[in-house]
């Protein structure tokens, strides 16, 4: 069995290529420094949902992965590459490539056009991808709302290591805490990393036994989330809850405005000062109105520094 790779509870980050029509590889190094220094994020998940991995060509995905691994060397703890694709061949090519460039792990979503209809069929697909990188820790990326594949994670987990020896854990991007809890309950020997992927509910995930987190908001709320993780670790649940509520206030606010990958990119640009560019079609660039509103909210929560607003408008949560 491969060694357990997830040691702490530092959130993984969803990254993030930066391109308009073409990818701007040149800012990735700068972005690595921003994440480490400003957000305290040292584990990166490349080419996932936020990184629009499924909207990139295979050659683009390879190049993005290479850039993150290269730029992250001696700065990041782990770079996990999402290699899921509709084509098993493409997925295997990306898995093999991730191994060649020295990535720390690979993750795979369920194929979502011609879908696996039961656990065994899904495992057969995942197993073939994992076999293309037999020395790399393998994660299943469970995100049923986007893939439409509703096979329960706890069902998948049952006996999976017999089929996929490199299986290392799950990225669980779903709100079903019964399913998640049963994954934890099965994980008696704590051999798997169970990474929670719903940022606004992370505290519940931690209480249930999440061993880490992967999410889009850690691009700009990484520091705040790390504070919540630290409070949770020292069993200061009241502070942890305050941090979670603070994070929720922001997410709740942007959800009401319409929030997705495009809007995440706009907020990332705003907070990091590093241009992320627009998303790729079919996504549309976030509106100026959205960005202005998000900026005002971040300032009122004291997540972005600001001047000229009366104290009465502050709802800072520290
Ligand atoms: C559907 C979706 O994009 N979920 C996000 C969350 O981080 C999400 O943006 C956050 O919880 C806000 O709702 C992540 O689970 C996705 C993710 O990890 C990724 O970019 O691969």
């Amino acid at each position: 069995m491969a060694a357990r790779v997830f040691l702490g509870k530092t959130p993984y980050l969803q990254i993030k290529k930066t391109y308009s029509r073409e990818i701007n590889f040149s800012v990735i190094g700068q972005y690595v420094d921003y994440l480490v220094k400003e957000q305290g994020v040292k584990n990166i998940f490349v080419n996932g949902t936020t990184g629009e991995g499924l909207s990139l060509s295979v050659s683009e995905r390879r190049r993005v992965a290479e850039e993150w691994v290269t730029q992250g060397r001696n700065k990041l703890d782990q770079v996990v590459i999402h290699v899921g694709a509709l084509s098993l061949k493409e997925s295997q090519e990306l898995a093999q490539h991730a191994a060649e460039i020295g990535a720390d792990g690979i993750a795979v979503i369920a194929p979502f056009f011609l879908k696996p209809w039961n656990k065994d069929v899904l495992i057969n697909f995942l197993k073939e991808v994992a076999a293309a990188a037999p020395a790399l820790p393998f994660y299943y990326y469970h995100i049923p709302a986007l893939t439409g594949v509703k096979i329960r994670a706890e069902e998948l987990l049952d006996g999976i290591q017999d089929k996929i020896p490199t299986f290392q854990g799950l990225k669980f991007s779903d709100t079903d805490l019964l399913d998640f809890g049963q994954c934890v309950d099965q994980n008696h020997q704590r051999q798997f990393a169970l990474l929670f992927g719903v940022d606004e509910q992370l505290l519940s995930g931690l209480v249930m036994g999440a061993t880490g987190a992967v999410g889009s908001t850690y691009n700009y709320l990484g520091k705040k989330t790390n504070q919540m993780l630290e409070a949770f670790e020292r069993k200061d649940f009241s502070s942890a809850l305050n941090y979670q509520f603070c994070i929720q206030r922001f997410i709740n606010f942007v959800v009401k405005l319409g929030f997705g990958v495009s809007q995440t990119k706009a907020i990332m640009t705003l907070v990091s000062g590093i241009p992320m560019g627009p998303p790729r079609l079919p996504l549309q660039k976030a509106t100026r109105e959205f960005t202005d509103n998000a900026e005002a909210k971040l300032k009122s929560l004291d997540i972005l520094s600001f001047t000229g607003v009366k104290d009465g408008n502050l709802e800072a949560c520290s």
Side-chain angles (χ1 to χ4, degrees):
M1 190 193 83
R4 178 166 182 257
V5 296
F6 202 86
L7 299 175
K9 283 184 172 163
T10 307
Y12 264 81
L13 175 71
Q14 291 327 296
I15 293 297
K16 206 63 245 165
K17 40 44 16 245
T18 49
Y19 60 81
S20 52
R21 288 187 177 83
E22 296 303 325
I23 300 171
N24 180 5
F25 295 99
S26 71
V27 296
I28 293 178
Q30 203 188 339
Y31 201 66
V32 167
D33 291 336
Y34 155 80
L35 288 173
V36 173
K37 291 185 191 137
E38 305 297 328
Q39 298 297 342
V41 170
K42 296 184 82 176
N43 299 294
I44 313 292
F45 188 91
V46 177
N47 287 335
T49 305
T50 311
E52 294 170 87
L54 275 300
S55 302
L56 305 184
S57 68
V58 168
S59 65
E60 287 175 322
R61 290 176 71 171
R62 290 168 63 110
R63 176 93 198 274
V64 172
E66 281 163 28
E67 200 62 25
W68 275 97
V69 168
T70 306
Q71 297 296 337
R73 200 158 286 137
N74 302 322
K75 292 181 177 172
L76 299 172
D77 291 341
Q78 292 181 62
V79 179
V80 172
I81 313 290
H82 172 246
V83 301
L86 291 183
S87 153
L88 174 61
K89 288 259 177 214
E90 288 182 3
S91 219
Q92 288 174 318
E93 178 188 332
L94 290 166
Q96 202 176 340
H97 174 255
E100 283 161 11
I101 63 174
D104 299 291
I106 52 172
V108 176
I109 53 166
F112 53 89
F113 184 62
L114 298 178
K115 298 181 178 52
W117 56 91
N118 67 29
K119 166 193 161 162
D120 292 335
V121 177
L122 175 56
I123 287 185
N124 280 344
F125 180 91
L126 301 177
K127 182 180 163 185
E128 294 291 322
V129 182
L136 275 191
F138 180 92
Y139 298 85
Y140 172 56
Y141 181 178
H142 179 64
I143 183 158
L146 291 188
T147 60
V149 175
K150 315 270 185 205
I151 297 161
R152 288 167 65 76
E154 58 100 2
E155 238 191 279
L156 189 90
L157 222 57
D158 185 19
I160 194 168
Q161 235 176 10
D162 299 338
K163 304 264 175 53
I164 305 178
T166 52
F167 186 80
Q168 193 74 55
L170 284 177
K171 165 170 157 29
F172 189 93
S173 285
D174 191 28
T175 53
D176 184 345
L177 285 175
L178 172 59
D179 190 15
F180 187 67
Q182 288 305 289
C183 291
V184 176
D185 198 20
Q186 267 188 61
N187 192 25
H188 300 302
Q189 291 159 355
R190 299 190 61 76
Q191 72 272 40
F192 299 140
L194 300 175
L195 309 170
F196 200 67
V198 184
D199 313 358
E200 55 276 40
Q201 298 179 359
L202 175 57
L203 187 56
S204 313
L206 291 172
V207 169
M208 198 62 83
T211 62
V214 188
S216 69
T217 66
Y218 310 136
N219 281 285
Y220 49 91
L221 297 176
K223 198 170 160 192
K224 193 63 77 191
T225 305
N226 275 323
Q227 289 172 322
M228 181 176 89
L229 296 177
E230 283 157 20
F232 184 78
E233 283 293 305
R234 64 172 189 269
K235 299 191 171 28
D236 178 358
F237 301 122
S238 156
S239 298
L241 194 57
N242 278 339
Y243 287 121
Q244 183 71 94
F245 283 156
C246 175
I247 290 161
Q248 284 194 344
R249 262 180 247 154
F250 180 71
I251 296 177
N252 194 42
F253 179 80
V254 288
V255 162
K256 286 182 187 159
L257 298 176
F259 181 60
V261 170
S262 314
Q263 290 71 26
T264 295
K265 283 172 77 95
I267 301 168
M268 287 167 66
T269 300
L270 183 70
V271 178
S272 70
I274 299 169
M276 295 292 132
R280 183 164 280 181
L281 287 168
L283 297 182
Q284 299 284 325
K285 188 172 186 271
T287 61
R288 180 66 198 263
E289 191 191 358
F290 171 86
T291 311
D292 288 348
N293 281 315
E295 181 174 10
K297 189 68 177 176
L298 285 168
K299 286 176 173 173
S300 78
L301 292 168
D302 208 19
I303 289 167
L304 263 185
S305 60
F306 75 127
T307 52
V309 178
K310 291 188 175 53
D311 284 347
N313 292 344
L314 267 173
E315 46 175 332
C317 31
S318 52

